[in-house]
Amino acid sequence: MAEQIKVIVFALGNEEYGIDVDKVRTIERMMPITRVPKTYSFIKGVINLRGVVIPVIDLRGRFNLEETEYTDQTRIIIVAVGEMEVGFIVDAANDVVDLDRDNIDSPPEVVGGVKAKYLDGVAKVGEDRLLIMLNLAEVLSRGEMTHLEQLED
């Protein structure tokens, strides 16, 4: 029997993405973000979440997708990347699905404008739904991670 994983589904534009639920700490509504000077353009700043300072990244900016206005559906997904927590701004986070690991294929070179290095694979959900699985370790380079760790201090 295939190994099952639970995945949080979120949207960026017309594409649906997935993050292993074990990596997700919490999903929050948009909140005030404190800008930080001299950071990468896709790093929107930091938030104070229950006394913890967390850097926030706009995934649209990270993936070179057109940025849009935030709406009532916009969410910040707080994930664990290595030893730190990072917030990802997404258009919506609205589903949790169970996947068979066997249904996750290697990613093509580019999916929805997102380079393959950021992806773990493409998962088939049901007959006609595809989920793009994010590789959190690749979404941020080592240099960017070091930069974010300095923001927390």
Side-chain angles (χ1 to χ4, degrees):
M1 185 166 147
E3 183 186 354
Q4 290 258 310
I5 59 170
K6 277 200 181 308
V7 174
I8 302 280
V9 178
F10 67 89
L12 284 180
N14 297 326
E15 303 289 341
E16 286 190 309
Y17 295 80
I19 300 176
D20 190 326
V21 77
D22 293 340
K23 305 257 193 290
V24 176
R25 295 287 189 253
T26 179
I27 299 173
E28 304 290 332
R29 293 186 177 276
M30 279 305 289
M31 59 184 70
I33 298 172
T34 303
R35 300 265 327 142
V36 178
K38 297 183 178 136
T39 59
Y40 299 101
S41 62
F42 59 84
I43 298 174
K44 293 302 172 192
V46 294
I47 57 173
N48 183 337
L49 187 64
R50 294 181 272 288
V52 179
V53 175
I54 298 175
V56 177
I57 291 169
D58 191 318
L59 278 186
R60 282 180 164 276
R62 178 64 178 131
F63 296 155
N64 294 320
L65 303 174
E66 184 180 338
E67 291 193 30
T68 61
E69 293 288 318
Y70 299 141
T71 69
D72 289 344
Q73 300 300 310
T74 305
R75 296 290 181 264
I76 301 174
I77 301 177
I78 309 297
V79 298
V81 181
E83 295 295 309
M84 68 183 295
E85 292 184 345
V86 178
F88 290 144
I89 299 174
V90 301
D91 294 347
N94 48 13
D95 206 357
V96 177
V97 296
D98 291 315
L99 292 179
D100 283 340
R101 273 207 195 277
D102 295 350
N103 289 344
I104 301 175
D105 296 330
S106 297
E109 283 303 303
V110 174
V111 178
V114 178
K115 294 182 185 136
K117 77 173 189 170
Y118 300 132
L119 309 177
D120 256 350
V122 178
K124 294 182 197 87
V125 182
E127 290 298 311
D128 56 359
R129 188 174 177 195
L130 292 178
L131 273 187
I132 303 164
M133 300 298 296
L134 274 195
N135 180 344
L136 295 181
E138 288 295 331
V139 170
L140 296 169
S141 71
R142 287 201 187 288
E144 291 161 350
M145 288 294 290
T146 303
H147 184 76
L148 289 177
E149 286 166 358
Q150 291 165 353
L151 295 182
E152 290 184 316
D153 296 337

